[in-house]
Amino acid sequence: MPASTWGGPESNADEIYPVDLLTYLLKEMMLQFDAQGACIALHDERIGQMRIQAHIRFKNALAHSPQPSQSSGPLPKLSSNARRPTAKLESDEQELLQMSPTLHIPVVNSLRSRPPDESSADEVEDVDPQQNELFAVGSAYPIDQDLIGYTWHKNEPYAMRHEDYLAIFRTNYNYLQPIKADMLPSSYLVVPVRESHLMEEIRSGRRRSTVLGVILLYRVAPDAPGFQKERAEALNYVERIALYLQNEKQRYIRRRTNEYLRLLQSISTAFPSSVQLSELVERIYQFVVRIVDVSSLLLTLYDRDLDRLYDVLAIHSGQRVEGLAEQPTVRLKSERPVWNRITHAGRQALLFSPAQDHEKRLEYQELLTGVWGNQQDTESFLMLPMKMFNRVIGSLSLTSMRPNAFQPEEIQVLETMIQIVTVSIENANLYERDRSILNEARQREAQLAAINSALQSVSSVLNVTALLNNLVESVASVLKVELCAFFEPSPTNAMLFAHALYAPSSVQMVDDGSGLPVVTPQNKDERDEIIGLIQLPFQGTFLEQKVDEGFFYLDVEQLKELALHSNEEGAIFLRETGIEQMLMIPMSYQTQFMGFLAVPMPKGNRIFRPKDIGTLLAICAQAAGAIRNAQLFEQREAAYAELERMSKLKDEFLVTASHELRTPLTAIRGYSSQLQRQGSRATPQQIMKFATKIAVATQQLTNLVGSMTEAAQIGPGDQKIDLQIEPVQVYAATEIAVGMLTLNTERTVTLDIPATMWINGDAPKIRQVLTNLLENAIKYSYPETPIWVSASSLHLSEVEPLLTPDQVNPDSMLSQGDIPVVLVRVRDQSEGISPEDQQKIFEKFVRATRSLTTPIRGTGLGLYICRRYVEAMGGKLWLEKSAANEGSIFSFYLPQVTPPVDVAE
Ligand code: ADP
């Protein structure tokens, strides 16, 4: 039944009883009782009234009706005619008596198989309501109304003359407007069609009315006798008709049941597979409207977990309340106490008529209102609880404007449907629950896997930077964020600098002056370099006070505040990446603070769930240990490398020292043994010569030991050296240095030093540096080549580019400002120093590899000592240039000072 016909006044009696059958039964009865016309009214459950289903009369009866005086003529004939088919009816009666109520007897066929021209007097015609309005087909009678309603009510047969009928039932009969009828009956016989007793017993009172219908026979001849005597016989006769009708009804019910079963089968296969609520609701809707007459409908589901009631489908007076399946109206269970009571009480359907039963209407008022509108005036109300074992799943409520709209068979079918739906909803729920449990488990698994791999990646790496990179990347992937950084305190704790940054969206921390972050693909080294430049203030800020907290959030104001005191790159990081809130997790190992893991909150309303924070803290705790390990490992590696280097130095020292010691010692031993051997034979000249040789060798030894002591004294880098800082004239110092040269080689030393250049320093140390550089130049250059010493006045910023980074760290060079300096260069012409040696020669006891195989003396201490002295005086010393066969330039600078007034004068 399509939805559009809902609530339409339609009868279903003709679906149950074929008109042919009714016509046949009426005709047989007319013949039996000498009636010329007959009609049958059957109870229409949908409207609760008796409705006339068929009205027939003999054709020849109509021919005689205008002249009642003549009507007596055909009557006996009719009567005699009537006897003939009676024999047939008798045989039918036999069949009727034999048949069980459930057996189908093809009476209709037997009617049709009868030759139509057997007798023209037998021919019947349908009484057209247009010709005759009396008991017209389709007329319906409520109980007690008119002759039919009266007979129904009294459940007794009546015989009556037409005048009496008019007097009793047509009290407001208007003689001026006579009944529109081409033929008026003279007398009536009205018989109730009672439900068979047997059937009644079977049904045991489940049906309100035991009167299936009413049959009315009439005679038309005015002088025809009334039916008084035939009443009892008619009642008996009709009992057989009742059997026919009941049989038909059974067939109809069976047919419908079969249909329902087919429908049920289709939904039982359809429902469980449809786990989508909206689909399920749609099917329920389609199904219900095919089965019963419904004007309004309400499907309510109950969620046990949330203790909520959801109205997911509502039809209000044939109109569907849209969008409920997607957005149901939600009520707390406590808001619907009656609903609760009914659904929990049992599996029984609740059925009553709100319009008729005022008591129940009051009692169940709650069920009759709500999203499906006011149902308090409907004729039929049915509520089917949906239950699975004892669990309430929901309910389906229906109303109809028709009385008794919901019949037991239909309720049964609906109950079956509800059971199937309940199971499928429960399945869907279970499925949903399973799926969400599965999902959650999967998520948890994935998260665990992520944590695991995060932990693994942070634990398996012993390089701190790689480890921190893994950490920020893992955290970003676990939290599904775009940005994550690790900030580490600087050695002095003044600042926090980014040690690792995860920013896959390629927002690079580059400032091109436009104030916007520049999106540029960069190589890893560049990126790492830039990351290192991001610095945030630490000492004295609120961050410092929070290192002992578990975790905390920085809000916009705090981020602004930090950006204010950050360096440029730090400010860009905080400002340009549009961070509104940043989660900070301080990481410590035991009591040692290691840094902050900073996770900017993603934009939008997303927040980190406690679960996420928990995960994060676990990762951080693990990472802290791993970082500590990596740091220790790196420190140990560095210490190990230093040890290695020291051990190598020691070896080199032993080689150098033993060589350097052996040479003068050999000389001393040689000359002294010669002196011994020659004894008194030695001439004073010879003695003098040997003594001088011994003295020189001794001096060499003394020098060596002196250098060694000096080198040991000045110690490594940060040890303080006693200095007497004063203005020193570069030219004078160089001249003295040249004069101090102990090497007696004839070499030209060209000085290009303006006399006005003064430097700040310790004069003896400056001279020592110059002597050393000059001696080296002489020692290691080609013989007879000149040596140049030049001095120029420069600013520090001009010197900076001359420094080779692998030699001297230019860092903090300009920390005291771009001061004027004097740059002194010592240049020679030699084989040059191989690139591998260029850095090493400034180390203690290290000599260029080539020098170790030459007879040229050296300890490898000179350059080391010189560099230490120059640096102690605020300058730098380095190998500015050295090329094969061209020679080297050793340079140093010291702060320039204006010449002292007295000297200048
Ligand atoms: P020493 O000269 O006593 O060996 P230094 O520390 O002064 O020690 O020099 C270290 C090494 O540097 C020298 O042994 C030599 O191999 C190399 N060296 C120093 N100056 C020069 C130079 N002007 N030309 C070539 N090699 C040099």
Side-chain angles (χ1 to χ4, degrees), residues 656 660 707 772-781 826-833 837 840-852 854 856-866 879 882 887-890:
T656 313
E660 291 309 307
S707 301
N772 211 305
L773 293 180
L774 282 167
E775 276 187 345
N776 281 353
I778 294 163
K779 277 198 294 187
Y780 304 111
S781 60
V826 179
R827 183 156 71 91
D828 60 47
Q829 282 184 318
S830 65
E831 284 180 22
I833 305 163
D837 287 336
K840 276 167 51 183
I841 51 173
F842 288 92
E843 308 245 20
K844 244 197 269 190
F845 300 112
V846 176
R847 304 193 66 203
T849 336
R850 192 182 297 131
S851 310
L852 295 171
T854 58
I856 300 158
R857 303 274 69 76
T859 56
L861 285 169
L863 287 177
Y864 170 80
I865 294 167
C866 292
L879 173 60
S882 187
S888 317
I889 304 174
F890 282 87

Side-chain angles (χ1 to χ4, degrees), residues 7 69 102 161 235 275 320 371 430 477 479 566 602 692 722 849 859:
S69 54
T102 51
R161 305 229 27 112
L235 196 60
V275 288
R320 191 163 173 175
V371 67
L430 284 180
S477 101
L479 292 187
S566 300
T692 310
D722 262 351
T849 336
T859 56

Side-chain angles (χ1 to χ4, degrees), residues 591-719:
T591 56
Q592 187 201 343
F593 172 66
M594 305 171 86
F596 286 110
L597 185 78
V599 191
M601 293 283 267
K603 302 236 171 61
N605 283 338
R606 236 192 90 187
I607 51 154
F608 296 135
R609 292 164 301 173
K611 207 162 67 180
D612 297 329
I613 305 276
T615 307
L616 206 54
L617 291 176
I619 293 177
C620 286
Q622 174 85 9
I627 293 168
R628 179 71 194 142
N629 283 346
Q631 280 176 344
L632 286 179
F633 181 79
E634 277 185 3
Q635 281 169 13
R636 210 189 59 193
E637 284 288 281
Y640 186 69
E642 181 65 14
L643 266 178
E644 284 262 278
R645 208 172 56 88
M646 297 299 270
S647 132
K648 214 165 139 213
L649 282 180
K650 191 189 72 198
D651 293 345
E652 280 171 13
F653 161 72
L654 285 176
V655 174
T656 313
S658 59
H659 185 250
E660 291 309 307
L661 284 168
R662 207 177 301 125
T663 319
L665 279 175
T666 314
I668 293 168
R669 199 181 56 220
Y671 290 115
S672 51
S673 64
Q674 269 202 24
L675 269 176
Q676 267 177 350
R677 248 184 290 128
Q678 291 180 7
S680 52
R681 282 180 289 121
T683 60
Q685 288 85 359
Q686 275 178 319
I687 292 172
M688 193 57 199
K689 188 186 154 202
F690 293 152
T692 310
K693 292 275 186 197
I694 291 171
V696 168
T698 309
Q699 187 56 50
Q700 270 179 11
L701 268 180
T702 313
N703 285 350
L704 180 67
V705 172
S707 301
M708 283 165 74
T709 320
E710 196 177 7
Q713 269 172 357
I714 60 172
D718 41 7
Q719 206 159 312

Side-chain angles (χ1 to χ4, degrees), residues 36 58-65 74 77-78 81 120-123:
Q36 282 81 56
F58 285 118
K59 278 186 175 168
N60 54 1
L62 178 66
H64 293 280
S65 71
K77 193 178 171 227
L78 228 173
N81 274 344
S120 65
D122 274 7
E123 266 183 63

Side-chain angles (χ1 to χ4, degrees), residues 567-587:
N567 70 347
E568 211 178 309
E569 288 80 4
I572 291 173
F573 171 76
L574 292 176
R575 283 202 201 107
E576 309 300 342
T577 44
I579 301 167
E580 285 162 2
Q581 208 181 6
M582 190 147 76
L583 171 66
M584 301 286 284
I585 300 182
M587 284 172 64

Side-chain angles (χ1 to χ4, degrees), residues 260 264 287 291 408-418:
Y260 291 154
L264 280 175
F287 191 79
I291 292 175
E409 295 86 10
E410 292 161 345
I411 293 176
Q412 240 169 27
V413 174
L414 289 176
E415 277 176 337
T416 313
M417 176 205 76
I418 281 300

